[in-house]
Amino acid sequence: MEWANETLVAEFVFLSFSSLGGLQRLLFAVFLLVYLFMLGTNAIIVSTIVLDRALHTPMYFFLGVLSCSETCYTFVIVPKMLVDLLAHKKSISFLGCAIQMFSFLFLGCSHSFLLAAMGYDRYVAICDPLRYTLLMGHGVCMGLVAAACACGFIVAQIITSLVFHLPFHSSNQLHHFFCDIFPVLKLASHYSYLSQLVVFVLGVFVLIIPLLLILVSYIRIISAILKIPSSVGRYKTFSTCASHLIVITVHYGCASFIYLRPKSNYSSSQDTLISVFYTILTPLFNPMIYSLRNKEFKSALQRTMTQTSCLVN
């Protein structure tokens, strides 16, 4: 990736938390605890899925990949944010900002396509259960994850190259706590309508297309569930999808609000608040929504802990 040599901006300064004064230390303590708890829960999820053979199914395979993805996603943003909360000068180099944006976009876009793959997995499990193991074999699951990562990589490469080839000759004060697309674009000396259109079209590709695929899957799923004669059977079947639906609503709702609005409606304070929610709080809640309230997973966790304690003793 080539960076524009003519830029006069060597670094960006984050301003989001600068006005909070003494509250920054309190935020540091809260966010650190949340981050450590999120790391711990994701480590438990991944290790349990790997160690317990009963969880070696496509659904838990995707869940393990999603947990790894969220861990990397937060690692790109949260440690730097924690350091900045204690630092007098909250800055990042021009190249560091570009790397952070690329990594954030790559993982975030891959996350969207992974959620679509998980929706397809639920569709096959409910609508075509007899062929589930055939249609969702290990090779298919690996292919879906590879496709999600490839789409995320391409989108991140295009947007990051587009943004950081723009000239930055004026202010370097970034009204955000990480290098997100629109806060950085706002600092560019000038950019074409085509640049904004490309970012918007790619946002539609990353958010709307996977969401439409998920909607199609769930229309078929709901149709199949309504054909189940027993109300208990309908409840049990739908409960396997409830966690996925909650995560989808939060992820696509927040991301659409941030990235599919016209740039004229951009509000740094609103976007900072929502960014805190989906970069810190959502990765905290997702493990609990998906796994720690799941009876099958809790049983597997108990078995894993018992086996581990026996080995230690």
Side-chain angles (χ1 to χ4, degrees):
M1 198 180 290
E2 295 180 358
W3 310 110
N5 293 324
E6 70 275 13
T7 180
L8 298 179
V9 172
E11 65 177 15
F12 295 101
V13 178
F14 297 123
L15 298 180
S16 274
F17 300 122
S18 297
S19 61
L20 297 178
L23 284 176
Q24 292 181 79
R25 294 185 180 277
L26 176 61
L27 284 177
F28 171 82
V30 172
F31 289 159
L32 177 62
L33 290 174
V34 169
Y35 183 56
L36 292 176
F37 182 78
M38 185 275 300
L39 289 178
T41 51
N42 277 322
I44 290 170
I45 289 169
V46 173
S47 58
T48 303
I49 290 171
V50 170
L51 295 173
D52 193 284
R53 293 184 63 84
L55 299 186
H56 291 183
T57 64
M59 183 179 81
Y60 287 103
F61 169 76
F62 286 122
L63 178 58
V65 173
L66 197 69
S67 293
C68 291
S69 172
E70 286 190 336
T71 301
C72 296
Y73 172 85
T74 54
F75 183 74
V76 169
I77 298 170
V78 178
K80 170 62 178 168
M81 182 193 71
L82 291 173
V83 171
D84 286 342
L85 282 170
L86 298 180
H88 177 68
K89 184 180 181 183
K90 312 173 195 306
S91 62
I92 187 170
S93 68
F94 187 83
L95 179 59
C97 188
I99 292 172
Q100 187 184 59
M101 181 183 289
F102 172 82
S103 303
F104 161 74
L105 289 174
F106 166 58
L107 294 164
C109 295
S110 300
H111 188 93
S112 285
F113 290 106
L114 278 173
L115 289 175
M118 294 175 80
Y120 175 70
D121 169 69
R122 292 297 82 210
Y123 158 72
V124 176
I126 293 171
C127 298
D128 201 354
L130 296 178
R131 296 200 301 157
Y132 180 62
T133 54
L134 176 65
L135 294 176
M136 296 302 296
H138 183 69
V140 174
C141 293
M142 291 294 291
L144 289 172
V145 171
C149 292
C151 290
F153 180 87
I154 292 168
V155 171
Q157 177 75 20
I158 293 171
I159 292 179
T160 308
S161 298
L162 187 69
V163 170
F164 285 91
H165 274 87
L166 296 172
F168 292 88
H169 294 293
S170 52
S171 174
N172 69 339
Q173 296 185 337
L174 201 63
H175 292 273
H176 211 44
F177 60 92
F178 71 98
C179 293
D180 206 352
I181 301 171
F182 290 124
V184 176
L185 269 179
K186 198 174 182 182
L187 298 183
S189 300
H190 65 81
Y191 63 93
S192 65
Y193 171 76
L194 179 61
S195 300
Q196 187 177 355
L197 181 63
V198 169
V199 172
F200 179 79
V201 170
L202 289 174
V204 169
F205 171 70
V206 169
L207 295 172
I208 301 302
I209 291 180
L211 184 57
L212 289 175
L213 294 174
I214 292 170
L215 287 175
V216 170
S217 295
Y218 273 97
I219 288 171
R220 301 292 296 273
I221 287 170
I222 291 170
S223 176
I225 289 174
L226 292 176
K227 293 176 183 177
I228 299 173
S230 158
S231 60
V232 175
R234 288 195 296 269
Y235 173 78
K236 285 184 177 179
T237 305
F238 186 76
S239 65
T240 63
C241 304
S243 300
H244 187 236
L245 284 172
I246 293 170
V247 173
I248 287 168
T249 302
V250 173
H251 173 78
Y252 288 103
C254 292
S256 297
F257 179 82
I258 295 286
Y259 299 109
L260 297 184
R261 286 180 304 163
K263 190 170 182 289
S264 57
N265 294 339
Y266 172 75
S267 167
S268 59
S269 57
Q270 276 186 341
D271 284 13
T272 298
L273 183 62
I274 293 187
S275 295
V276 167
F277 184 80
Y278 76 75
T279 56
I280 299 173
L281 298 181
T282 301
L284 169 68
F285 294 134
N286 282 357
M288 292 185 285
I289 293 170
Y290 262 123
S291 300
L292 302 182
R293 61 184 291 272
N294 181 307
K295 290 182 180 179
E296 185 180 14
F297 180 85
K298 286 192 286 188
S299 298
L301 177 59
Q302 289 174 353
R303 288 194 299 270
T304 303
M305 291 176 66
T306 302
Q307 292 170 1
T308 305
S309 62
C310 289
L311 289 173
V312 171
N313 295 329

